Amino acid sequence: MSMHNKLVIFDTTLRDGEQSPGASMTKAEKLRIAKSLEKMRVDVIEAGFAIASQGDFDSVKAIADTVRESRICSLSRALDKDIDRAAEALKGAEASRIHTFIATSPIHMKYKLQMEPDAVIAQAIHAVKRARNYTDDVEFSCEDAGRSEIDFLCRIIEAAIDAGATTINIPDTVGYAIPAQFGETVGTLIERIPNSDKAIFSVHCHNDLGLAVANSLSAVNHGARQVECTINGLGERAGNASLEELVMAVRTRPDIFDVVTNIDTTQIVPASKLVSTITGFPVQPNKAIVGANAFAHESGIHQDGILKHRETYEIMKAEDVGWHTNSLVLGKHSGRNAFRSRIEELGITLESETALNKAFSAFKELADKKHEIFDEDLHALVSDTKAIEADERYQLVCMSVTSETGVAPVAKVTLLVDGEELSAENTGSGPVDATFCAIEALVESGISLQLYSVNSITSGTDSQGEVTVRVEKGGRIVNGLGADTDIVIASAKAYLHALNLMCSTQAKRHPQGEV
Ligand code: KIV
Ligand code: ZN
């Protein structure tokens, strides 16, 4: 593959994706996602923003120490302390990248940075040089490039490349760009900047107008050779360009895009499900490539056409993106070793024998209720047992719900609250509402429920229901997850998980908006 035609896939699910309100992930969860990205052969994994918090630092470090096949990157502002922290976290990586950025639009420079344009250029040069002392792979981003002046972009980018930047990223930070115009801007930069051949040009598009993928693809046709993207399009506000859509667009239309990626596309659906399970952000059924209906044909005319000749209505094969690769993995009679090795194959690390035992007994319990256990079940089960492990302040001991036509449902819930067993009963508009009201009668948390959703993990009425609840208190938002073959129990688990997270997690800092 000629370097000229290689499109570098830079995944930022673990950094920009995590900036979606409620999508914060633990170190172990990030590691699982990083391993699935490595398996998918993603070229660069942006593992986090090392200076943001101790948790971010630890996650970047753990990923840098573990992943071997993908380059690991940490974000940093154009500040010495950020760059040094990124470098420290990346020490153990086989291949590393420091990604440093500064805002370049007039509005950001004037109001946010309160700096003169020449000072911004000087700071960018200093940051790139400092990063180059640690690694020969340095990316420089012009934050809010989508609203920056082209002459200024030419000046700062030329200076950054002279200082040693090997990738130049043009982010449409606020999702303002329009495809034809954005592509042309990238093409003009490559043409006008005298040393542009010394760096790979990259784009990083946000989806505020629903154009992130279209803008990125337009840039590819004007010479961009790296796209920054996330699984399921997760990301700040309306999200980032979706990895699966970008990869499949260039693969499906080689007549339009003269580039190839290194991605193993059969890993796309498993990665999408994993990210959705971990973050609690469900994938809409009609989402391109990874939505449950993406390859479903309802109309009789379409079904008839497909049966006669698949290409009549299908431009991609479902199995090429990893649908239907669901293998029956384990069952009721599977032993502990089979369970352990399947968990390991899925890239899941259970920190201790106790954690393994806990997950194994949850698996046995599930196998009693549901005969066929799939990979998705195992992911949900591990997330569920980890959710219980995460913080033990509130634990579900037992519950019962009665629901009858014409009578308000009643839920009885027994919880361990700080080690003390307490019970309460309450009614509600439905069984789930009654359960949450009963829990609230005990904990009086003061949280407000922002989202409640149930997803069936596999098909069939014996499937586990996976429940996500998003709750808010004092401006902090967390997502709770729970899985069970009984969706009311799954709902209670999810609610308690959210309560436990609310009690335990520190508010996360996102210094990206700071100077
Ligand atoms: O959207 C943005 O500008 C970013 C940069 C830090 C690349 O996320
Ligand atoms: Zn971004």
Side-chain angles (χ1 to χ4, degrees):
M1 180 194 310
S2 117
M3 269 318 283
H4 181 65
N5 290 339
K6 161 102 192 261
L7 181 63
V8 175
I9 301 296
F10 176 114
D11 181 279
T12 183
T13 307
L14 299 174
R15 198 277 298 167
D16 216 325
E18 205 205 15
Q19 287 175 213
S20 313
S24 34
M25 301 167 235
T26 64
K27 182 174 85 178
E29 289 167 342
K30 287 186 179 176
L31 205 47
R32 276 161 74 194
I33 293 178
K35 283 183 189 163
S36 87
L37 296 173
E38 179 185 32
K39 196 166 173 194
M40 198 196 288
R41 298 203 297 259
V42 159
D43 299 290
V44 185
I45 299 173
E46 188 161 56
F49 194 173
I51 192 102
S53 66
Q54 186 62 42
D56 275 54
F57 177 89
D58 293 342
S59 300
V60 176
K61 179 169 169 23
I63 293 167
D65 291 348
T66 312
V67 169
R68 285 289 162 266
E69 303 297 327
S70 304
R71 187 173 289 277
I72 306 303
C73 169
S74 172
L75 185 66
S76 63
R77 291 166 297 185
L79 298 176
D80 289 359
K81 61 177 179 180
D82 283 37
I83 292 164
D84 298 349
R85 194 78 174 135
E88 178 69 26
L90 292 169
K91 259 186 187 158
E94 184 83 26
S96 68
R97 170 176 299 182
I98 295 179
H99 176 190
T100 185
F101 73 96
I102 194 161
T104 52
S105 62
I107 187 170
H108 275 231
M109 290 192 288
K110 181 169 177 195
Y111 294 104
K112 186 181 88 163
L113 298 178
Q114 297 177 343
M115 284 170 74
E116 289 302 319
D118 283 348
V120 171
I121 295 181
Q123 193 167 322
I125 294 172
H126 177 83
V128 170
K129 285 188 174 160
R130 189 167 185 103
R132 277 298 302 250
N133 289 332
Y134 292 112
T135 168
D136 58 7
D137 190 319
V138 173
E139 174 166 334
F140 172 68
S141 278
C142 309
E143 192 190 14
D144 204 18
R147 292 188 298 170
S148 301
E149 287 164 359
I150 192 113
D151 289 345
F152 184 66
L153 285 176
C154 287
R155 280 179 64 210
I156 195 165
I157 292 170
E158 183 180 351
I161 297 173
D162 269 345
T166 46
T167 298
I168 294 295
N169 186 34
I170 314 296
D172 180 23
T173 304
V174 293
Y176 179 70
I178 301 295
Q181 162 256 320
F182 188 65
E184 220 169 276
T185 301
V186 171
T188 305
L189 290 172
I190 294 174
E191 214 174 272
R192 276 185 51 186
I193 295 169
N195 53 2
S196 64
D197 60 318
K198 308 254 173 349
I200 289 178
F201 276 67
S202 164
V203 287
H204 172 113
C205 296
H206 279 272
N207 207 28
D208 299 67
L209 292 172
L211 294 171
V213 170
N215 286 332
S216 307
L217 290 174
S218 174
V220 168
N221 268 348
H222 284 84
R225 286 296 174 268
Q226 173 175 288
V227 281
E228 301 198 354
C229 45
T230 57
I231 302 289
N232 300 337
L234 199 69
E236 182 99 39
R237 304 183 312 280
N240 288 62
S242 114
L243 179 148
E244 57 277 9
E245 293 176 23
L246 286 171
V247 167
M248 291 314 290
V250 300
R251 183 183 144 133
T252 307
R253 297 302 304 269
D255 53 328
I256 305 285
F257 302 105
D258 188 20
V259 291
V260 278
T261 74
N262 201 27
I263 295 294
D264 174 357
T265 58
T266 63
Q267 297 304 317
I268 285 178
V269 168
S272 159
K273 289 187 175 181
L274 179 63
V275 169
S276 171
T277 300
I278 285 177
T279 58
F281 279 54
V283 175
Q284 75 196 54
N286 58 332
K287 164 83 177 63
I289 323 289
V290 294
N293 292 350
F295 291 87
H297 296 276
E298 181 65 25
S299 126
I301 296 173
H302 288 206
Q303 287 173 352
D304 181 55
I306 293 270
L307 289 174
K308 287 180 174 142
H309 188 73
R310 173 144 94 175
E311 282 79 16
T312 50
Y313 284 100
E314 270 188 10
I315 58 165
M316 297 168 273
K317 291 191 193 133
E319 54 272 31
D320 286 354
V321 295
W323 283 107
H324 317 314
T325 46
N326 242 351
S327 48
L328 171 62
V329 286
L330 296 170
K332 192 176 160 132
H333 301 294
S334 308
R336 204 164 170 284
N337 282 342
F339 176 76
R340 183 205 292 266
S341 71
R342 188 63 201 160
I343 288 276
E344 280 168 7
E345 273 168 39
L346 290 174
I348 300 170
T349 327
L350 292 168
E351 275 92 24
S352 61
E353 278 301 296
T354 325
L356 178 72
N357 291 341
K358 207 165 178 177
F360 183 61
S361 72
F363 158 73
K364 281 291 187 188
E365 228 175 85
L366 178 64
D368 266 342
K369 297 187 222 159
K370 181 177 189 294
H371 301 304
E372 300 174 326
I373 309 278
F374 296 92
D375 289 348
E376 290 89 331
D377 287 311
L378 292 181
H379 279 299
L381 180 142
V382 171
S383 294
D384 195 55
T385 46
K386 287 204 164 174
I388 296 164
E389 255 173 46
D391 191 308
E392 305 275 329
R393 174 140 203 231
Y394 302 115
Q395 286 178 55
L396 181 66
V397 177
C398 60
M399 58 179 286
S400 69
V401 183
T402 48
S403 182
E404 220 181 303
T405 332
V407 182
V410 180
K412 281 186 202 164
V413 173
T414 303
L415 303 182
L416 267 188
V417 181
D418 294 328
E420 187 188 351
E421 199 164 300
L422 302 171
S423 299
E425 186 175 308
N426 220 330
T427 56
S429 59
V432 172
D433 189 44
T435 303
F436 290 0
C437 291
I439 294 175
E440 276 302 325
L442 291 173
V443 303
E444 295 178 350
S445 69
I447 57 172
S448 78
L449 185 66
Q450 299 211 318
L451 175 140
Y452 170 81
S453 83
V454 190
N455 243 330
S456 101
I457 291 174
T458 51
S459 54
T461 49
D462 69 345
S463 164
Q464 289 193 90
E466 185 176 49
V467 173
T468 306
V469 298
R470 186 172 307 150
V471 302
E472 188 268 344
K473 187 177 174 184
R476 274 193 61 219
I477 297 174
V478 298
N479 275 336
L481 289 179
D484 201 282
T485 48
D486 179 323
I487 59 164
V488 185
I489 296 177
S491 304
K493 287 180 176 177
Y495 196 82
L496 291 171
H497 181 211
L499 285 177
N500 283 325
L501 286 174
M502 210 32 120
C503 295
S504 67
T505 7
Q506 295 296 314
K508 210 175 153 97
R509 246 170 21 97
H510 278 301
Q512 188 174 328
E514 296 166 15
V515 179

